[in-house]
Amino acid sequence: MSVPKSVVKLSRRGVEYTSSVDRASYTIRELTRAALRDVGRFVSRTCNTRAQKLPGLKRSRRVRGKTSAFQYWVRKRETDLQVGIKHNTWYGADQELGTKNQPKRGILRNSTYDNVAQIVEIESQYLSALEDEAKALRLAESEDDYQGGGDDD
């Protein structure tokens, strides 16, 4: 999606004012999505790394690679991030919350809480780019490297 052009042009006594509200709104929305995408990638990789440290899962394909148990979804319309465990993957919800037969491990929750400072740093890099419009557009348009899951590069 390309950046919208300025819509409103007002002229008063030979001075022309250009409203760039749509352009600014687009830039903010795309920078927010790019920040959420990188945060989701970071959290899912952290969760997968933490799950690999569990006994018996070091070489397991269930917690490694693009089809791993922990993945993220950045929703465009709602402009939010969902990081979670794929359905019926490796007793994911049972191990996160705990059951009668499965101890609570809290991999996703603990990975997120332990890395709040890193998450804030990632988001602040994108949102501080609002000052420079060219840098903001360059960061927001890196959509080609978007992966829907916790990929292992």
Side-chain angles (χ1 to χ4, degrees):
M1 180 175 177
S2 64
V3 178
K5 295 181 179 175
S6 298
V7 177
V8 181
K9 293 185 180 181
L10 304 172
S11 61
R12 186 176 288 172
R13 296 183 197 163
V15 178
E16 189 172 294
Y17 299 99
T18 305
S19 174
S20 298
V21 174
D22 289 338
R23 185 181 191 106
S25 168
Y26 170 81
T27 305
I28 290 170
R29 188 173 57 244
E30 289 303 311
L31 279 175
T32 304
R33 285 188 61 229
L36 291 174
R37 184 179 61 231
D38 281 355
V39 168
R41 183 181 299 142
F42 172 74
V43 171
S44 64
R45 285 183 182 177
T46 306
C47 291
N48 286 328
T49 304
R50 193 172 279 210
Q52 286 176 6
K53 293 179 182 176
L54 293 175
L57 291 176
K58 186 168 187 143
R59 294 185 185 175
S60 175
R61 298 183 84 169
R62 293 177 284 187
V63 293
R64 295 178 51 164
K66 293 184 180 181
T67 59
S68 60
F70 296 94
Q71 290 191 338
Y72 65 94
W73 300 269
V74 178
R75 298 191 301 179
K76 189 171 189 174
R77 185 177 301 154
E78 293 85 358
T79 315
D80 66 350
L81 170 70
Q82 292 182 343
V83 180
I85 304 165
K86 286 173 32 179
H87 180 64
N88 286 337
T89 303
W90 164 70
Y91 304 108
D94 293 345
Q95 290 190 359
E96 185 68 28
L97 303 173
T99 61
K100 176 173 68 171
N101 298 324
Q102 192 72 251
K104 178 181 177 182
R105 295 203 167 94
I107 297 169
L108 180 61
R109 183 176 185 267
N110 293 336
S111 295
T112 306
Y113 283 169
D114 292 345
N115 295 305
V116 169
Q118 182 72 23
I119 291 169
V120 169
E121 182 181 331
I122 291 170
E123 294 218 0
S124 66
Q125 285 177 353
Y126 279 93
L127 298 180
S128 67
L130 285 174
E131 299 168 0
D132 183 18
E133 186 179 358
K135 182 179 179 184
L137 291 175
R138 193 170 52 246
L139 285 173
E141 290 179 355
S142 63
E143 188 83 17
D144 55 336
D145 66 342
Y146 175 68
Q147 301 284 327
D151 55 335
D152 227 4
D153 290 337

